[in-house]
Amino acid sequence: MKFSGSKISLIGLVACLFTVGCSDDAPTPVDPPVQEDGSNVDANANGTGSAEGETQEAVPNALLEKLAAAREVPTKPSVGPNQHYRLSGEINFHTPDGDIALASELWLAGPERMRFQLGAAGNYNTFSLYDPKNCWLKAGPRAVVDYDAAELLTETALRWEVLRFPWGWEDQLILAAAARDSEPVGLDLKLTRESPLGPLTIELNSLGLPKFAALGGSAVDLSDWGTLQEQDNLIPKTWLWKYQAGKRTETVAEYRDGALFQDRAFRPVVKGDSKVGKVTSALGDQRTLGDEFGVLNTSFRFLDEEQGVAQQANLPNGEWWQAGEQRYFILRTPDAELSQEWPNSDTVSKEWLRWSTYSKISRESGIASLESVMSQTGYHATGPCWALVVPDDGRAHRSIFLMPVEKNE
């Protein structure tokens, strides 16, 4: 069986893997990402905590407040990189040949970033979605192979929306309230909005909790809402996924929000995968809608603003960054030729903790947020944080923060 570019559904694939086996030759095994190498889960899983100085604005949206209260969450998410989720339990595939029950563990780090591990220790099937163009499957001891991301993309987006609801639906809730201005608005609403993957629909029950969600070819029934462990907010403990190829039920037994996973937890382990000397490795991928977070090894060449203000009209390709009170211009191409009027310097190759986000956030609050999660990463800061200078033009821009770090002893 070949998986690269395959359109086979997750149900059909798992049925194949666990009932008839796969006939592929088994090259040298590649170890899947492990938590110690690629992720850190927040020990304080009850919330992320806002950065100091970052206040929440009053929300003039009574319907939003009711729906947030139904889930026992605030009306808007906290600021910070630790916005991730970890769920574990059992998944039951309902196939024509009978049900297949497996242990499952899910890591969710954004609308397009997910790691789904199925099966028993030593024989895991691991699906890793990094972005819309990078997705992999590791079936048991076999090597990592490319996997078609389409099905996992819609599932991942739906999971993200359900776990964060009602965040992101403010505009639709205002419209829903306005449409029923002459009568009380019930909580059993049907909400729809456009997304990069097409129309996204969420239907609510009489308590204001999602009971159904659909996007593209994926649809899920949600039930058994409640709390788990020491979590305060309600989640659906039962997820019934429905496809043309069949159904599967996921039962959640353990849940953590406020988790923190590094980007590399969603990629196969590749030795020697380094981008030293390329500042583009620090700038993030514009295709990715969610945050990016993790430690990377890179170096870059920069120009000192104090010595080069008069030459700004002749700047090469690059971006302005700020570290402390000083601004620097980092070259996109480290080996670019410069005139003698430009004093320049190269940083040493080092490790940086990077947080890249589309969230509207001030430089001070972004740095404070990064510092607040430092203890969860296993690293400590060795210098001031570098922040990309973001235009103040009212448009959405990526804010990027780079903190020089070293691994704790």
Side-chain angles (χ1 to χ4, degrees):
M1 173 183 291
K2 295 182 179 180
F3 298 108
S4 180
S6 172
K7 296 295 183 181
I8 190 170
S9 71
L10 184 59
I11 293 175
L13 175 59
V14 171
C16 168
L17 292 174
F18 281 88
T19 58
V20 300
C22 295
S23 60
D24 293 343
D25 294 331
T28 303
V30 178
D31 291 334
V34 294
Q35 185 171 328
E36 288 75 12
D37 176 56
S39 70
N40 299 97
V41 179
D42 188 5
N44 177 18
N46 283 317
T48 60
S50 297
E52 183 176 355
E54 195 75 16
T55 59
Q56 292 191 351
E57 298 177 359
V59 180
N61 189 332
L63 189 51
L64 173 65
E65 293 176 349
K66 290 180 180 179
L67 296 178
R71 285 208 57 206
E72 301 185 20
V73 298
T75 54
K76 61 187 298 186
S78 301
V79 176
N82 47 345
Q83 302 282 331
H84 305 160
Y85 301 90
R86 181 181 184 180
L87 301 87
S88 60
E90 183 178 87
I91 182 169
N92 198 321
F93 292 88
H94 311 297
T95 75
D97 298 322
D99 288 356
I100 302 173
L102 303 169
S104 66
E105 181 166 329
L106 178 80
W107 299 350
L108 188 64
E112 300 173 337
R113 189 153 297 169
M114 182 267 289
R115 183 177 185 266
F116 202 9
Q117 184 171 272
L118 312 175
N123 194 35
Y124 293 123
N125 288 318
T126 303
F127 298 85
S128 299
L129 176 66
Y130 188 79
D131 62 29
K133 294 188 177 296
N134 291 281
C135 187
W136 303 272
L137 165 66
K138 186 178 189 304
R142 293 174 175 82
V144 175
V145 295
D146 291 337
Y147 186 74
D148 182 14
E151 177 188 344
L152 296 184
L153 272 173
T154 54
E155 276 197 19
T156 302
L158 282 176
R159 294 179 192 276
W160 186 254
E161 291 291 339
V162 169
L163 291 175
R164 295 174 68 83
F165 187 84
W167 302 335
W169 291 85
E170 293 83 355
D171 291 345
Q172 288 71 30
L173 296 176
I174 291 175
L175 291 174
R180 304 186 185 183
D181 191 38
S182 60
E183 60 184 59
V185 178
L187 298 184
D188 53 341
L189 301 170
K190 180 178 180 179
L191 304 171
T192 302
R193 79 162 196 256
E194 287 300 318
S195 79
L197 299 175
L200 169 64
T201 298
I202 288 185
E203 296 181 13
L204 310 181
N205 62 22
S206 60
L207 299 177
L209 300 171
K211 65 178 182 180
F212 173 79
L215 175 64
S218 297
V220 60
D221 287 331
L222 307 154
S223 60
D224 193 19
W225 281 83
T227 59
L228 288 169
Q229 290 87 41
E230 298 178 356
Q231 302 293 131
D232 294 328
N233 57 304
L234 277 65
I235 68 160
K237 300 177 188 177
T238 302
W239 303 56
L240 174 59
W241 294 89
K242 299 179 291 186
Y243 298 91
Q244 188 174 11
K247 300 179 181 181
R248 74 175 190 268
T249 301
E250 296 174 14
T251 304
V252 181
E254 297 182 3
Y255 166 78
R256 290 287 182 270
D257 65 2
L260 183 65
F261 293 106
Q262 292 192 37
D263 294 335
R264 60 188 179 186
F266 303 89
R267 300 182 67 97
V269 174
V270 179
K271 294 182 179 179
D273 184 16
S274 175
K275 299 180 180 178
V276 175
K278 297 182 179 180
V279 69
T280 51
S281 65
L283 290 176
D285 192 335
Q286 296 300 320
R287 298 175 311 188
T288 302
L289 298 177
D291 289 9
E292 295 180 314
F293 178 82
V295 174
L296 55 86
N297 192 326
T298 192
S299 63
F300 45 77
R301 187 180 182 189
F302 62 83
L303 311 177
D304 192 318
E305 182 186 38
E306 292 182 355
Q307 301 295 327
V309 173
Q311 303 293 328
Q312 288 196 24
N314 300 318
L315 283 173
N317 188 21
E319 288 80 24
W320 284 104
W321 295 68
Q322 185 166 344
E325 299 302 318
Q326 182 63 48
R327 295 208 327 164
Y328 301 95
F329 189 82
I330 296 181
L331 279 66
R332 281 285 188 107
T333 308
D335 57 357
E337 294 186 4
L338 299 172
S339 62
Q340 294 182 354
E341 289 82 5
W342 280 105
N344 63 83
S345 175
D346 293 337
T347 67
V348 297
S349 176
K350 63 172 64 176
E351 289 185 303
W352 302 81
L353 179 63
R354 179 190 62 171
W355 177 34
S356 172
T357 179
Y358 273 114
S359 300
K360 187 172 179 59
I361 185 173
S362 68
R363 182 175 68 90
E364 294 77 12
S365 293
I367 294 173
S369 294
L370 197 56
E371 291 174 341
S372 70
V373 301
M374 185 69 66
S375 63
Q376 299 167 225
T377 66
Y379 288 80
H380 61 273
T382 60
C385 183
W386 292 59
L388 182 68
V389 177
V390 177
D392 186 15
D393 56 9
R395 300 174 58 190
H397 295 278
R398 270 199 178 274
S399 293
I400 305 176
F401 304 92
L402 288 176
M403 184 81 75
V405 295
E406 289 181 354
K407 196 168 185 62
N408 296 338
E409 295 293 338

